[in-house]
Amino acid sequence: MGQLGQRVVVIGQGYVGLPLAMRAVEVGYHVTGYDTSEDRIKHLNAGESYVEDIASATLVAALDTRRYQASSEAQCCSGFDVAVITVPTPLKEGIPDLSYIEAAADTLALYLRPGATVILESTTYPGTTEELVGAMLEEGSGLVVGVDFHLGYSPERIDPGNPTHNLVNTPKVVSGVSDASLAAVKGFYDSIVEQTVPVSGTREAELVKLLENTFRHVNIALVNELAMFAADLGVDVWEAIDAASTKPFGFMRFTPGPGVGGHCLPIDPSYLSWRVRRLLGQSFRFVELANDINDHMPDYVVQRLVMALNRRRQAMNGSRILLLGLAYKRNTSDARESPGQVVADRLLSLGAEVRAADPHVVEAHVDRRVVRVEASAEELSSADAVVLLADHDEFDLDLVTTHARCVLDTRHRVPPGAQVEYL
Ligand SMILES: NC(=O)c1ccc[n+]([C@@H]2O[C@H](COP(=O)([O-])OP(=O)(O)OC[C@H]3O[C@@H](n4cnc5c(N)ncnc54)[C@H](O)[C@@H]3O)[C@@H](O)[C@H]2O)c1
């Protein structure tokens, strides 16, 4: 396996699937990017990337090799040697929604041939690859998993906007439903990334991703709760975190913020807690507590803002609030599940006039009542309060201290000033 010249199909051309498809082209595979969104396919075939980590020039270069094609026709999957599923795994009314994985498995079953390999990358609870994808592929194709075709799971660790760690230099955990499947999956990724990390089964690999994200979720909740107490105690939590971070062992730095967002953190731990409750009848208390604290953070930001205005004898109702950054994290355009959107909603419902500057997030993803502006000196000085939510590199934070009348900085990045307070 891992032989270049083979046909690779990547199901889903989003934040995870597109970088994988581009890398597969780069190392010599014939790659098809299949996506049910016709709009996305149109952009891809026009050489326009909508994923920030992939430059449009990279996409154009891939198209020019004639070894990459993007299509919304299921037929484009026919004749694949390796298929990788990178479709969304959201929550629907708090419950894992595996319908996208099911649809992908249905499609692949139609084109599955003996000797082919199917790999699931979407984040999901332990058991999905074997119990759901394996069973659907067998039923739809009449082939036997682990005998006629290979099946495995490999969690994605992509960190959008991270300039240091990318798909290629981040070790990739790989697994298979049998030794032969593991060898096939490992062989494929050995040609894609610098280092693969085999584990003994697909359930362990599925748990790896949930463990990594639950670890982050819980530790962010810990510093968020600490930040709320420290503010009341009059202690500088940021200074304490910086000093604690000098310990070379046994401590890992996490910082407070306006809440968690994106496709991973607020959602993945709930996949695990749902599975634990479903199979064991028990609650995963750490996850529930972390959800509770992190979900509360946007409200806490609003509360701090109300208090800051109150000290200036101003009401939130009628005040102009300028939000800096609507994405869930710095230097990304992803506003899915973003705490910034929740903060904007709460402020609007309190009667504030909400404006927002975010050079990354496109208009369509933001509430229409939020007026989109640039973080100019004029906008900063005409706002009653400015809130830094996502510290994109484009923001001139010195300008914020110079011009803003009242600042709440949830990221501890704005230079100090009498009117600047930190979360
Ligand atoms: N974004 C991240 O940083 C990140 C990191 C690690 C893991 N993940 C996980 O990877 C998976 C994909 O996430 P994403 O951020 O790339 O999502 P995304 O929404 O950016 O992309 C998914 C794409 O799949 C397409 N799609 C949906 N159903 C389809 C189907 N049946 N056939 C073909 N295409 C289909 C959608 O149109 C969309 O373009 C999720 O499970 C997510 O939890 C995401």
Side-chain angles (χ1 to χ4, degrees):
M1 276 303 299
Q3 236 176 293
L4 305 184
Q6 285 187 321
R7 283 215 52 201
V8 173
V9 169
V10 183
I11 312 281
Q13 292 290 274
Y15 288 87
V16 172
L18 187 58
L20 177 65
M22 292 299 104
R23 175 64 180 160
V25 173
E26 192 185 346
V27 301
Y29 289 105
H30 289 268
V31 181
T32 299
Y34 169 57
D35 200 296
T36 44
S37 161
E38 283 176 20
D39 187 49
R40 286 200 150 178
I41 294 301
K42 246 185 242 158
H43 282 289
L44 291 176
N45 283 323
E48 295 161 10
S49 171
Y50 42 79
V51 170
E52 287 193 340
D53 290 344
I54 298 296
S56 291
T58 306
L59 179 58
V60 170
L63 289 163
D64 284 348
T65 64
R66 301 188 168 274
R67 283 185 289 101
Y68 175 69
Q69 56 153 340
S71 173
S72 56
E73 302 288 333
Q75 235 184 343
C76 71
C77 300
S78 88
F80 72 84
D81 299 297
V82 177
V84 187
I85 303 173
T86 63
V87 296
T89 43
L91 291 173
K92 198 172 178 185
E93 290 164 11
I95 292 174
D97 175 6
L98 297 184
S99 60
Y100 300 93
I101 293 184
E102 287 168 2
D106 257 344
T107 304
L108 286 177
L110 297 175
Y111 302 103
L112 188 59
R113 299 178 304 168
T117 300
V118 176
I119 305 163
L120 179 62
E121 281 208 10
S122 300
T123 305
T124 182
Y125 55 72
T128 309
T129 305
E130 279 197 56
E131 292 161 29
L132 183 77
V133 178
M136 288 185 70
L137 290 174
E138 282 191 330
E139 202 184 312
S141 68
L143 300 176
V144 179
V145 64
V147 176
D148 299 323
F149 68 95
H150 302 300
L151 177 65
Y153 182 83
S154 178
E156 183 43 66
R157 283 172 160 168
I158 214 156
D159 182 18
N162 188 324
T164 316
H165 297 290
N166 52 41
L167 170 65
V168 178
N169 66 11
T170 304
K172 195 135 174 48
V173 173
V174 292
S175 68
V177 296
S178 62
D179 288 348
S181 285
L182 173 60
V185 174
K186 184 175 176 335
F188 172 65
Y189 286 111
D190 278 339
S191 67
I192 296 282
V193 302
E194 287 169 8
Q195 190 193 343
T196 50
V197 182
V199 294
S200 66
T202 53
R203 285 176 182 77
E204 284 71 22
E206 288 160 334
L207 186 59
V208 166
K209 176 73 187 174
L210 297 180
L211 170 62
E212 289 168 3
N213 281 355
T214 303
F215 174 84
R216 256 169 66 221
H217 193 47
V218 165
N219 279 288
I220 289 171
L222 172 68
V223 289
N224 277 341
E225 188 166 43
L226 204 54
M228 292 187 278
F229 288 141
D232 287 343
L233 292 171
V235 181
D236 186 340
V237 71
W238 298 91
E239 197 180 340
I241 291 170
D242 282 345
S245 302
T246 60
K247 188 178 179 188
F249 49 88
F251 185 83
M252 188 176 285
R253 181 189 167 86
F254 286 89
T255 51
V260 294
H263 200 310
C264 290
L265 268 206
I267 294 172
D268 300 351
S270 298
Y271 264 69
L272 191 50
S273 56
W274 180 85
R275 187 67 163 170
V276 167
R277 185 174 287 282
R278 183 73 178 234
L279 289 191
L280 308 176
Q282 294 185 24
S283 68
F284 197 145
R285 289 166 295 166
F286 265 107
V287 171
E288 279 161 26
L289 183 60
N291 280 341
D292 194 34
I293 294 167
N294 289 335
D295 287 352
H296 173 65
M297 291 312 288
D299 285 321
Y300 177 70
V301 168
V302 171
Q303 185 192 328
R304 286 280 299 270
L305 209 50
V306 167
M307 284 158 55
L309 288 177
N310 191 51
R311 282 195 297 277
R312 291 167 171 79
R313 298 177 183 280
Q314 278 183 280
M316 183 60 79
N317 195 344
S319 286
R320 180 188 285 191
I321 311 295
L322 174 61
L323 305 179
L324 300 182
L326 288 171
Y328 79 95
K329 69 184 265 194
R330 70 192 304 245
N331 298 341
T332 69
S333 61
D334 196 347
R336 293 179 292 186
E337 317 281 334
S338 158
Q341 308 261 24
V342 184
V343 170
D345 272 356
R346 302 279 196 275
L347 294 175
L348 286 164
S349 67
L350 290 172
E353 180 200 336
V354 182
R355 298 184 167 228
D358 194 315
H360 296 269
V361 174
V362 296
E363 201 101 4
H365 292 161
V366 181
D367 189 313
R368 276 209 216 121
R369 293 169 298 167
V370 176
V371 182
R372 299 296 298 273
V373 295
E374 304 232 323
S376 62
E378 200 185 358
E379 280 295 336
L380 289 163
S381 58
S382 57
D384 293 298
V386 176
V387 191
L388 180 70
L389 293 167
D391 46 333
H392 297 313
D393 286 344
E394 288 85 350
F395 293 138
D396 179 344
L397 299 177
D398 289 319
L399 204 67
V400 175
T401 306
T402 312
H403 293 280
R405 283 181 260 159
C406 166
V407 181
L408 176 60
D409 176 3
T410 69
R411 303 290 181 176
H412 206 258
R413 294 287 313 281
V414 177
Q419 82 291 26
V420 180
E421 62 176 283
Y422 301 98
L423 194 70

